[in-house]
Amino acid sequence: MHSHPLTIAGRFATYPSTLHLPKGSFTEPITALLSNSSNKHVTEVAHRIFGGPGLPFSPATPVSKRHLPQSPIKLDASQHKMGEVEGDVYLATVMPGVYAAVMSTLVEVRKRLGARWLQDLLQKEGGPRVLDAGAGGAGILAWREVLEAEWRLMKEGEREEGEEEGRLEEEKGEEEGEEKKQEQEQEQPPPLGKSTVVTGSGALRQRVSQLLDNTTFLPRLPDYLHAPPASKTALDGEEEPAPQRKQYDVVIAPHTLWPLREEYQRRDQVENLWSLLEPEGGVLIILEKGLPRGFEVIAGARQRLLDHHISIPPSTLSTDDSETGATQLEPEKGMIIAPCTNHTRCPMYLRPGLQSGRKDFCHFTQRFIRPPYLQRILGASERNHEDVQFSYVAVRKGHDERDHGLVQGETATEAAFVGHEDTTTPTINTLSLPRSVLPPLKRSGHVILDVCTPAGRLERWTVPKSFGREAYRDARKSHWGDLWALGAKIRVPRRARLGKKELDGGGGGDGGGLTRRQIKNAKNVFEVDVAESGSVSGVRLVKGRRVGEGKRTRGGREPRFLKEEDL
């Protein structure tokens, strides 16, 4: 019994689900580059940079190290100070996990936008223009794998059409010439277009250049946000046109926001990445580690794009948006591709900023087979695979499916709850379906799905065996991150465990929750009510820890008065 077409179309996974790094373009060239380095030295430096055994501060944080303070990747592709051994460490420890995460997001974007998106880029004059802003070349390697796969599909379709024409022309004796023409087209490589990689250090640039051909390397990301105006006045009074800005069809920006400590720096980075996109259909992918802090960075960038760039068609405004008066400073045509199927505030990011003790956050996972050199650095002997978790958002500029019939919001949620079992893939856009944000709970006789609906709410849907044979079977086969189209019998709201707002200055955006010393030394903020006579009529604690009671004595607790250190 096969799965429903909409179930297949909504799956969030590579095929096969465990990703094998390509040998010809990835594993073997990096192995050759590392052959000149000492395994002992590379391992020691990797442990020193990434927090010791298990490499908790690398792209993949093991479960046994989740108690450590949350931290971004300690080795950044854009940093300018990187020695020879650090360059080898980046290739061996950072690039495999980043490659797997970027490949997973690219596959999902390809599924949601369809084959026409890549085919148009392949047929574009000069090929697609792609920018790798933070993966150190791993994003370009993943992009080229996806591009080559799409190219092979195109050629297979053309070859099938040629075979049909060949049957008609066989009587004319032109079959041999047609076969030769098809062989020539099959051997033709795909147009890779122009690739650009941001690498700050010369050591990393030298190594990555041996993995990528026909690639431009930049020491830093172009800053068009603070660039001069499009034209300037020369000394003789004539206007001189400024150099033409580079715009890219795809911008891949993994691990570029969390390392920035200040919020205004992240805001400017998001604005700059958006300005680098091609106005007519450019795609931006922002990705961070799948930890609460990484999710908060991604959710903040998503909300920034919604508030200031991506316009909301009047027909899709929800009641909450109309009440709050949501507006955009510079509304443009655009849309969220993945993972969200809504354009409202994220239900897991209702309170902006850092939250201590967050349990629920939107993230996904991708399993990949470790290359031998990463196995040696980790000292792993029991298993050869690794699960990298990541949070991401993919947006498109200049194109909005909501203007072409895409329905989201409450209408799409109600239709998805009823189920699309009697419909087929061409009639339903998968961007109007809820997405499973946690692993399904598979119980005896029923399956529980925690979904984020197109209305922007978290709900728990129950699919019992009595609901339908096909729906129940597909629910048991569903996975974390899949889009669900076959409905449910029971739905209840699910309350997100968002934690508590952190104190100002706590964590610095890089650590986990506040330590005991930070809580002890944190200043309390009070609101004091003063009467007209000048006497204090009331004191309320606004921020900080609760003022403890007085010292315990035999006669009871002594009164605890506010001291100078409490204010």
Side-chain angles (χ1 to χ4, degrees):
M1 183 176 180
H2 299 288
S3 299
H4 193 274
L6 285 175
T7 302
I8 298 175
R11 285 174 179 167
F12 175 84
T14 58
Y15 185 80
S17 59
T18 300
L19 186 64
H20 294 259
L21 304 182
K23 292 184 178 181
S25 60
F26 194 95
T27 305
E28 293 179 354
I30 294 180
T31 301
L33 290 173
L34 297 177
S35 61
N36 299 325
S37 302
S38 170
N39 292 331
K40 179 180 179 181
H41 292 168
V42 173
T43 302
E44 290 177 351
V45 174
H47 286 185
R48 174 174 56 83
I49 295 176
F50 297 118
L55 309 181
F57 301 147
S58 65
T61 301
V63 178
S64 60
K65 304 293 183 179
R66 294 292 174 86
H67 65 282
L68 297 176
Q70 301 174 41
S71 172
I73 297 177
K74 291 297 186 179
L75 205 57
D76 190 2
S78 61
Q79 69 184 54
H80 294 275
K81 295 182 179 180
M82 186 182 297
E84 299 294 331
V85 181
E86 284 82 358
D88 293 334
V89 169
Y90 189 92
L91 294 181
T93 60
V94 177
M95 287 190 71
V98 174
Y99 176 91
V102 172
M103 175 62 76
S104 181
T105 58
L106 286 175
V107 170
E108 179 66 12
V109 171
R110 158 62 176 81
K111 289 181 178 180
R112 300 306 142 230
L113 294 182
R116 174 57 57 187
W117 169 58
L118 281 182
Q119 292 176 3
D120 291 343
L121 291 179
L122 287 170
Q123 297 172 358
K124 183 179 179 180
E125 183 179 359
R129 299 184 301 274
V130 186
L131 171 64
D132 183 344
I140 297 298
L141 291 172
W143 166 258
R144 290 182 177 179
E145 286 290 325
V146 173
L147 210 62
E148 290 175 0
E150 189 67 33
W151 179 259
R152 288 193 295 268
L153 288 176
M154 287 179 58
K155 291 305 174 183
E156 288 178 2
E158 294 176 1
R159 186 167 61 253
E160 292 177 358
E161 294 178 359
E163 289 176 357
E164 291 293 336
E165 296 178 358
R167 292 190 185 99
L168 299 176
E169 297 176 356
E170 185 176 358
E171 299 177 356
K172 300 180 180 180
E174 299 180 359
E175 183 178 5
E176 296 181 358
E178 185 67 23
E179 291 179 355
K180 292 181 180 179
K181 181 179 180 181
Q182 293 169 9
E183 292 178 358
Q184 293 176 358
E185 292 180 352
Q186 187 175 2
E187 295 175 357
Q188 182 182 359
L192 300 179
K194 297 181 180 180
S195 303
T196 306
V197 179
V198 177
T199 51
S201 69
L204 182 61
R205 188 181 308 114
Q206 179 184 4
R207 286 161 172 76
V208 177
S209 62
Q210 300 183 43
L211 305 176
L212 298 172
D213 297 330
N214 301 324
T215 303
T216 303
F217 292 90
L218 300 177
R220 59 183 177 275
L221 191 67
D223 186 5
Y224 293 154
L225 188 63
H226 303 92
S231 61
K232 58 183 180 179
T233 304
L235 295 177
D236 55 0
E238 296 182 0
E239 289 189 355
E240 296 181 356
Q244 186 177 4
R245 297 183 175 185
K246 295 182 180 179
Q247 294 174 331
Y248 300 91
D249 300 305
V250 180
V251 176
I252 305 171
H255 310 292
T256 57
L257 298 181
W258 193 1
L260 303 176
R261 299 186 61 87
E262 301 297 337
E263 184 62 29
Y264 76 90
Q265 294 176 326
R266 296 171 184 168
R267 180 194 63 214
D268 291 347
Q269 183 82 333
V270 173
E271 299 281 350
N272 192 29
L273 292 172
W274 179 262
S275 66
L276 291 171
L277 288 178
E278 171 66 33
E280 300 296 331
V283 173
L284 170 62
I285 299 175
I286 306 176
L287 182 146
E288 292 290 343
K289 291 177 65 173
L291 296 173
R293 291 295 176 270
F295 159 73
E296 289 166 354
V297 171
I298 293 296
R302 174 187 180 274
Q303 193 60 40
R304 177 76 184 179
L305 292 173
L306 285 177
D307 291 342
H308 299 283
H309 292 291
I310 298 178
S311 61
I312 303 177
S315 59
T316 62
L317 278 174
S318 63
T319 305
D320 296 336
D321 293 333
S322 59
E323 292 177 355
T324 57
T327 57
Q328 297 79 31
L329 296 180
E330 299 178 5
E332 303 175 66
K333 182 178 291 188
M335 62 176 294
I336 298 177
I337 306 169
C340 314
T341 57
N342 64 80
H343 288 73
T344 61
R345 181 176 292 277
C346 176
M348 297 187 187
Y349 194 67
L350 300 178
R351 297 192 298 266
L354 304 180
Q355 306 291 329
S356 177
R358 177 187 290 275
K359 300 298 182 182
D360 289 334
F361 57 100
C362 183
H363 65 292
F364 305 91
T365 183
Q366 175 63 52
R367 174 169 292 184
F368 68 96
I369 301 298
R370 296 184 187 132
Y373 46 81
L374 182 56
Q375 282 282 91
R376 290 194 297 268
I377 293 176
L378 291 171
S381 58
E382 296 182 356
R383 61 187 179 94
N384 67 338
H385 64 267
E386 187 167 320
D387 296 323
V388 56
Q389 295 186 351
F390 56 93
S391 297
Y392 80 102
V393 63
V395 296
R396 193 177 190 186
K397 186 177 183 179
H399 185 81
D400 193 350
E401 289 289 341
R402 294 173 293 176
D403 294 334
H404 302 279
L406 172 63
V407 179
Q408 293 182 340
E410 195 62 40
T411 303
T413 303
E414 294 294 336
F417 179 72
V418 174
H420 302 286
E421 190 171 354
D422 297 333
T423 59
T424 55
T425 306
T427 59
I428 299 297
N429 193 324
T430 55
L431 292 176
S432 63
L433 301 176
R435 186 181 294 275
S436 178
V437 293
L438 288 173
L441 302 177
K442 302 173 184 179
R443 302 292 185 256
S444 176
H446 67 278
V447 180
I448 300 174
L449 303 175
D450 292 299
V451 298
C452 181
T453 66
R457 295 194 301 267
L458 292 179
E459 295 182 356
R460 175 164 283 187
W461 291 13
T462 302
V463 184
K465 195 172 184 179
S466 60
F467 183 70
R469 180 181 179 185
E470 187 174 25
Y472 177 71
R473 178 193 177 278
D474 286 2
R476 296 200 71 86
K477 297 294 183 180
S478 64
H479 294 86
W480 178 11
D482 290 353
L483 296 171
W484 181 247
L486 301 187
K489 190 173 185 179
I490 303 173
R491 58 187 288 199
V492 294
R494 187 185 186 281
R495 184 177 180 181
R497 299 167 295 176
L498 305 181
K500 298 180 180 180
K501 185 76 173 180
E502 284 197 356
L503 297 177
D504 292 343
D510 296 328
L514 295 178
T515 63
R516 291 183 179 180
R517 182 180 297 274
Q518 288 174 326
I519 295 176
K520 182 179 179 180
N521 297 334
K523 296 297 182 181
N524 296 327
V525 179
F526 296 90
E527 285 186 358
V528 181
D529 296 332
V530 182
E532 294 181 359
S533 60
S535 60
V536 177
S537 59
V539 180
R540 294 184 301 277
L541 178 65
V542 177
K543 183 187 299 183
R545 58 190 176 91
R546 182 176 61 87
V547 180
E549 298 178 349
K551 182 179 180 181
R552 178 182 295 178
T553 63
R554 289 185 178 180
R557 289 188 179 273
E558 296 179 351
R560 170 73 160 87
F561 298 100
L562 296 179
K563 299 181 180 180
E564 184 179 354
E565 59 266 17
D566 293 326
L567 301 177

